[in-house]
Every structure is written in C-alpha cells, then in structure tokens.
Amino acid sequence: MTNTPLLILGAAFSSEERARLEAAHSASFSAAPDAVSELSEATRATIKAIAFKGHTPLNAATMDLLPNLGLIANYGVGYDAINVTDASARGIKVTNTPDVLNDDVADIAVGMMIAQSRNMVAGDAWVRSGTWAGGENLPLNRKMSGSSVGIVGLGRIGRDIADRLAAFKMDIHYHARSEKETPNWTYHADVVSLATAVDYLVIALVGGKETEKYVSAEAIAALGPRGVVINISRGSTIDEDALIKALADGTIAGAGLDVFNDEPKIDERFYDLKTAILQPHQGSGTVETRRAMAELQLANVSAHLAGKDLLTPVN
Ligand SMILES: NC(=O)c1ccc[n+]([C@@H]2O[C@H](COP(=O)([O-])OP(=O)(O)OC[C@H]3O[C@@H](n4cnc5c(N)ncnc54)[C@H](O)[C@@H]3O)[C@@H](O)[C@H]2O)c1
Ligand SMILES: O=C(O)[C@H](O)CO
C-alpha cells in the first residue's frame, strides 16, 4: 500500500505541474477517471484529495472508489466535467481556479475578434506566399472599432471582455439571467434579442447541461449576414450544427472559436470554413496564467489537507 493523500488525476498535467504537486504532497497518479480503479484498494483508501485536470467526466463512479475523498480541486475555472451534485451528495468539496485567468481569456476573445475582422490569418498567408510581392493587395476587410457587441454571460470573464471592448469604442450590449450594474451597457432579457441588436456576439457562459445550446439556431440566425460569433466558453453553449451551417451558407459573416464539442477531435466540417478563426482551447494558455492556475489548485489541496478553509470553493 502507498500512503498518498493526493491523487493527481489527468493525463493533461505537464511534467512540471505534476512535479510541483508531488513536491508538496505524497501523491498517486491516474491518467483518467476510468483508470482510478487500477490503484489498489488500500492505496485508494489513503486518498483525501484529487487534483484534477481535463475534460473527461468525473462522477459518482470514481468518487465511490475513494472512501476518504474530501476534495476535488479542479485546474480551470470551468468545472463542468465534475458532477458537483454527486460530489455534494458525498460531502466532497469542489474548488476551481477563478479570476487568475480572466485577462488571458478576455485577451484571446478580443484577439479573435480583430483577427477575424481584419482577415489576419489570410493576410499572413498573403505575405508568405509572395502574393503581395507579386503586386496584389489583400482585399479590404472590416472595421471593428466603433461597432456593436453582445456579451452572453456577464460574469468575471464576460465583464473583462466588455471592459476591453469599451476601449475600442464599441456599443456594449449583454444578456445575463438578471440585469447587472454596468456603465451604460444595454441589457437584453434573451439571447435572440441580443443577437438581433449587435454585430459581434461573444459567448462567456459557464458550460454544462443547463447552458447546452443556450445560443440557439434562432439566435445565430438573428445575428444576420454581418454577424460574427466569438466563443471562449465551451462548445456545448452554442448549437454547433447550426453554427457550422450558418458559416457554410454565409448567413453569418464569421466566427472566432477557442472551444468546440468533442475537443480535440472537433467536427471536421470546421476545417473548411474560411470565415472562422479556430483556436485549440488556449484561452488561458500562457506560461504566467497556467502557473497561477496550478498554484491556486495546489493552494486549495494544501488547505484541505491541513484542515484549513478552501480558497475558491464552488459547493
Ligand atoms: N477558453 C478557455 O480557455 C476558457 C478559460 C477559462 C474559462 N472558460 C470558460 O468560461 C466560463 C466562464 O468563466 P467565468 O469565470 O467568467 O465564470 P462566471 O461564473 O463568472 O460567469 C459565468 C456566466 O454564466 C452565467 N450562467 C451560469 N449558469 C447559467 C445558466 N444556467 N443560464 C444562464 N447563464 C448562466 C452566469 O450568470 C455568468 O454570467 C467558464 O465556466 C469556462 O467554461 C474558458
Ligand atoms: O475553464 C477553464 O479554466 C479552461 O477552459 C480550462 O479548462
């Protein structure tokens, strides 16, 4: 039997992240929730906390293999992979890593908006291929500053995106479950009304069952032929089939997407959509922010194992 109060769970951990956790606490490792059953029963009984990274569902079946589990510390603010109802029913606390990643995720949302509007990916290819040197200019593209944007979900990241876009002199609209205190931003009670009013629709919702296809086919259609969808939340929050169809048919102008269903093996129809900028779920993917996320996850694990208050509990 190995006495390991910590289970590092997820093949997605880098070797550096894993080493930092192992330096702080005696730990076992499983690559995925399905593999936890491969640890001996005696080792499993010593585990009090999980440090989790990844998007594979983590639910009752895994929790029930760990009789002394008291904490699941998620690496990431979005914890839709973890069944929090199952955890709460077993007295297991869940933590996430909010706020430390807001800047990077907001930056990439704005970056995708500019790249999409100004055709920057095609511009790069234009220069490298010698087309520009051959005397041809890139076709004119589209001004983003001063246009209108609708944020779906005015939470921590949504608000940071809106703040940035206000500096681009954009007219800010938003939808949330209730009206918020804002500078002079326009509230919409539903997403269709929001999409009808704006040029850019930015999705910054939580993922999970409750927000599945929250941005519906009707909302995508309401954006119209000049509309651009930006999604940094989860692939599940938009009707992905309807989005692909709208991009293929040109019934909307384009998209900037950092998140998809079935990552990383996304729907291959995306590959041919020239008006979409596609990113490999790298919203928080800077050295600085990933380190801050890892530190916050570890701080939650250490607090739990020392019997102290958790820093960022979600249940
Ligand atoms: N692309 C990336 O790399 C990346 C990085 C970080 C976060 N994210 C995603 O962004 C999400 C938002 O993060 P945040 O820190 O801003 O979260 P947050 O909790 O501060 O904001 C989430 C928003 O979703 C809304 N919401 C929650 N449940 C809802 C429901 N049932 N119906 C309608 N609206 C609902 C909330 O009211 C809030 O406006 C995360 O959950 C995660 O999925 C992605
Ligand atoms: O939710 C988050 O923090 C990111 O999407 C990483 O999973």
PDB file of all heavy atoms in Angstrom, residues 55 75-79 97 101 233-234 281 284 290 293, ligand 2:
ATOM      1  N   HIS A  55     -11.074  17.205 -19.253  1.00  0.00           N
ATOM      2  CA  HIS A  55     -12.498  17.403 -19.552  1.00  0.00           C
ATOM      3  C   HIS A  55     -13.259  16.083 -19.581  1.00  0.00           C
ATOM      4  O   HIS A  55     -14.417  16.038 -19.985  1.00  0.00           O
ATOM      5  CB  HIS A  55     -12.648  18.155 -20.878  1.00  0.00           C
ATOM      6  CG  HIS A  55     -12.017  19.520 -20.830  1.00  0.00           C
ATOM      7  ND1 HIS A  55     -12.619  20.588 -20.199  1.00  0.00           N
ATOM      8  CD2 HIS A  55     -10.829  19.973 -21.276  1.00  0.00           C
ATOM      9  CE1 HIS A  55     -11.828  21.647 -20.279  1.00  0.00           C
ATOM     10  NE2 HIS A  55     -10.730  21.301 -20.929  1.00  0.00           N
ATOM     11  N   TYR A  75      -8.331  22.100 -11.979  1.00  0.00           N
ATOM     12  CA  TYR A  75      -7.395  23.020 -12.659  1.00  0.00           C
ATOM     13  C   TYR A  75      -8.208  23.670 -13.772  1.00  0.00           C
ATOM     14  O   TYR A  75      -8.471  23.042 -14.790  1.00  0.00           O
ATOM     15  CB  TYR A  75      -6.242  22.206 -13.217  1.00  0.00           C
ATOM     16  CG  TYR A  75      -5.167  22.959 -13.953  1.00  0.00           C
ATOM     17  CD1 TYR A  75      -3.904  23.123 -13.393  1.00  0.00           C
ATOM     18  CD2 TYR A  75      -5.389  23.481 -15.225  1.00  0.00           C
ATOM     19  CE1 TYR A  75      -2.899  23.790 -14.080  1.00  0.00           C
ATOM     20  CE2 TYR A  75      -4.397  24.154 -15.918  1.00  0.00           C
ATOM     21  CZ  TYR A  75      -3.151  24.302 -15.338  1.00  0.00           C
ATOM     22  OH  TYR A  75      -2.159  24.966 -16.030  1.00  0.00           O
ATOM     23  N   GLY A  76      -8.651  24.899 -13.560  1.00  0.00           N
ATOM     24  CA  GLY A  76      -9.529  25.564 -14.524  1.00  0.00           C
ATOM     25  C   GLY A  76     -10.700  26.161 -13.777  1.00  0.00           C
ATOM     26  O   GLY A  76     -11.093  25.648 -12.720  1.00  0.00           O
ATOM     27  N   VAL A  77     -11.249  27.232 -14.343  1.00  0.00           N
ATOM     28  CA  VAL A  77     -12.424  27.836 -13.700  1.00  0.00           C
ATOM     29  C   VAL A  77     -13.688  27.056 -14.044  1.00  0.00           C
ATOM     30  O   VAL A  77     -14.591  26.910 -13.234  1.00  0.00           O
ATOM     31  CB  VAL A  77     -12.543  29.342 -14.051  1.00  0.00           C
ATOM     32  CG1 VAL A  77     -12.863  29.578 -15.515  1.00  0.00           C
ATOM     33  CG2 VAL A  77     -13.591  30.009 -13.186  1.00  0.00           C
ATOM     34  N   GLY A  78     -13.756  26.530 -15.273  1.00  0.00           N
ATOM     35  CA  GLY A  78     -14.928  25.768 -15.709  1.00  0.00           C
ATOM     36  C   GLY A  78     -14.830  24.346 -15.187  1.00  0.00           C
ATOM     37  O   GLY A  78     -13.885  23.631 -15.492  1.00  0.00           O
ATOM     38  N   TYR A  79     -15.793  23.954 -14.381  1.00  0.00           N
ATOM     39  CA  TYR A  79     -15.728  22.621 -13.743  1.00  0.00           C
ATOM     40  C   TYR A  79     -16.892  21.754 -14.216  1.00  0.00           C
ATOM     41  O   TYR A  79     -17.360  20.874 -13.497  1.00  0.00           O
ATOM     42  CB  TYR A  79     -15.711  22.761 -12.210  1.00  0.00           C
ATOM     43  CG  TYR A  79     -16.800  23.655 -11.668  1.00  0.00           C
ATOM     44  CD1 TYR A  79     -18.057  23.160 -11.361  1.00  0.00           C
ATOM     45  CD2 TYR A  79     -16.566  25.013 -11.491  1.00  0.00           C
ATOM     46  CE1 TYR A  79     -19.061  23.986 -10.891  1.00  0.00           C
ATOM     47  CE2 TYR A  79     -17.563  25.849 -11.023  1.00  0.00           C
ATOM     48  CZ  TYR A  79     -18.805  25.333 -10.722  1.00  0.00           C
ATOM     49  OH  TYR A  79     -19.802  26.160 -10.274  1.00  0.00           O
ATOM     50  N   THR A  97     -10.375  27.433 -10.326  1.00  0.00           N
ATOM     51  CA  THR A  97      -9.321  28.466 -10.344  1.00  0.00           C
ATOM     52  C   THR A  97      -9.841  29.749 -11.025  1.00  0.00           C
ATOM     53  O   THR A  97      -9.418  30.077 -12.132  1.00  0.00           O
ATOM     54  CB  THR A  97      -8.058  27.955 -11.071  1.00  0.00           C
ATOM     55  OG1 THR A  97      -8.408  27.602 -12.423  1.00  0.00           O
ATOM     56  CG2 THR A  97      -7.467  26.748 -10.373  1.00  0.00           C
ATOM     57  N   LEU A 101      -7.250  33.787 -14.524  1.00  0.00           N
ATOM     58  CA  LEU A 101      -7.151  33.620 -15.979  1.00  0.00           C
ATOM     59  C   LEU A 101      -7.990  34.626 -16.763  1.00  0.00           C
ATOM     60  O   LEU A 101      -7.995  34.615 -17.992  1.00  0.00           O
ATOM     61  CB  LEU A 101      -7.545  32.178 -16.377  1.00  0.00           C
ATOM     62  CG  LEU A 101      -8.721  31.518 -15.640  1.00  0.00           C
ATOM     63  CD1 LEU A 101      -9.997  32.259 -15.827  1.00  0.00           C
ATOM     64  CD2 LEU A 101      -8.845  30.069 -16.029  1.00  0.00           C
ATOM     65  N   SER A 233     -16.238  30.008 -24.269  1.00  0.00           N
ATOM     66  CA  SER A 233     -16.813  29.361 -23.077  1.00  0.00           C
ATOM     67  C   SER A 233     -16.620  27.845 -23.115  1.00  0.00           C
ATOM     68  O   SER A 233     -15.632  27.317 -22.619  1.00  0.00           O
ATOM     69  CB  SER A 233     -18.286  29.737 -22.942  1.00  0.00           C
ATOM     70  OG  SER A 233     -19.048  29.246 -24.036  1.00  0.00           O
ATOM     71  N   ARG A 234     -17.545  27.138 -23.746  1.00  0.00           N
ATOM     72  CA  ARG A 234     -17.474  25.708 -24.014  1.00  0.00           C
ATOM     73  C   ARG A 234     -18.204  25.484 -25.333  1.00  0.00           C
ATOM     74  O   ARG A 234     -19.174  26.196 -25.636  1.00  0.00           O
ATOM     75  CB  ARG A 234     -18.177  24.886 -22.912  1.00  0.00           C
ATOM     76  CG  ARG A 234     -17.449  24.836 -21.574  1.00  0.00           C
ATOM     77  CD  ARG A 234     -16.175  23.987 -21.643  1.00  0.00           C
ATOM     78  NE  ARG A 234     -15.526  23.871 -20.352  1.00  0.00           N
ATOM     79  CZ  ARG A 234     -14.491  24.614 -19.952  1.00  0.00           C
ATOM     80  NH1 ARG A 234     -13.981  25.541 -20.745  1.00  0.00           N
ATOM     81  NH2 ARG A 234     -13.940  24.413 -18.771  1.00  0.00           N
ATOM     82  N   HIS A 281      -8.385  25.676 -27.879  1.00  0.00           N
ATOM     83  CA  HIS A 281      -8.742  25.873 -26.462  1.00  0.00           C
ATOM     84  C   HIS A 281      -7.517  26.364 -25.694  1.00  0.00           C
ATOM     85  O   HIS A 281      -7.039  25.701 -24.769  1.00  0.00           O
ATOM     86  CB  HIS A 281      -9.293  24.566 -25.858  1.00  0.00           C
ATOM     87  CG  HIS A 281     -10.045  24.793 -24.570  1.00  0.00           C
ATOM     88  ND1 HIS A 281     -11.072  23.998 -24.156  1.00  0.00           N
ATOM     89  CD2 HIS A 281      -9.904  25.731 -23.586  1.00  0.00           C
ATOM     90  CE1 HIS A 281     -11.542  24.419 -22.992  1.00  0.00           C
ATOM     91  NE2 HIS A 281     -10.833  25.483 -22.624  1.00  0.00           N
ATOM     92  N   SER A 284      -6.555  30.330 -21.735  1.00  0.00           N
ATOM     93  CA  SER A 284      -5.728  30.604 -20.545  1.00  0.00           C
ATOM     94  C   SER A 284      -4.289  30.133 -20.744  1.00  0.00           C
ATOM     95  O   SER A 284      -3.521  30.062 -19.779  1.00  0.00           O
ATOM     96  CB  SER A 284      -6.333  29.890 -19.324  1.00  0.00           C
ATOM     97  OG  SER A 284      -6.282  28.480 -19.519  1.00  0.00           O
ATOM     98  N   ARG A 290      -1.044  29.804 -16.607  1.00  0.00           N
ATOM     99  CA  ARG A 290      -1.110  28.379 -16.259  1.00  0.00           C
ATOM    100  C   ARG A 290      -0.391  28.123 -14.931  1.00  0.00           C
ATOM    101  O   ARG A 290      -0.818  27.308 -14.133  1.00  0.00           O
ATOM    102  CB  ARG A 290      -0.519  27.526 -17.386  1.00  0.00           C
ATOM    103  CG  ARG A 290      -1.417  27.480 -18.617  1.00  0.00           C
ATOM    104  CD  ARG A 290      -2.677  26.656 -18.373  1.00  0.00           C
ATOM    105  NE  ARG A 290      -3.705  26.873 -19.369  1.00  0.00           N
ATOM    106  CZ  ARG A 290      -3.792  26.228 -20.534  1.00  0.00           C
ATOM    107  NH1 ARG A 290      -2.906  25.315 -20.852  1.00  0.00           N
ATOM    108  NH2 ARG A 290      -4.788  26.493 -21.357  1.00  0.00           N
ATOM    109  N   MET A 293      -2.771  29.275 -12.206  1.00  0.00           N
ATOM    110  CA  MET A 293      -3.850  28.283 -12.023  1.00  0.00           C
ATOM    111  C   MET A 293      -3.344  27.093 -11.213  1.00  0.00           C
ATOM    112  O   MET A 293      -4.009  26.605 -10.293  1.00  0.00           O
ATOM    113  CB  MET A 293      -4.370  27.813 -13.388  1.00  0.00           C
ATOM    114  CG  MET A 293      -5.123  28.885 -14.158  1.00  0.00           C
ATOM    115  SD  MET A 293      -5.296  28.494 -15.921  1.00  0.00           S
ATOM    116  CE  MET A 293      -6.409  27.106 -15.880  1.00  0.00           C
TER     117      MET A 293
HETATM  118  O1  LIG B   2     -12.311  26.565 -17.720  1.00  0.00           O
HETATM  119  C1  LIG B   2     -11.111  26.804 -17.843  1.00  0.00           C
HETATM  120  O2  LIG B   2     -10.422  27.311 -16.949  1.00  0.00           O
HETATM  121  C2  LIG B   2     -10.430  26.499 -19.136  1.00  0.00           C
HETATM  122  O3  LIG B   2     -11.340  26.238 -20.141  1.00  0.00           O
HETATM  123  C3  LIG B   2      -9.502  25.350 -18.991  1.00  0.00           C
HETATM  124  O4  LIG B   2     -10.241  24.177 -18.928  1.00  0.00           O
END
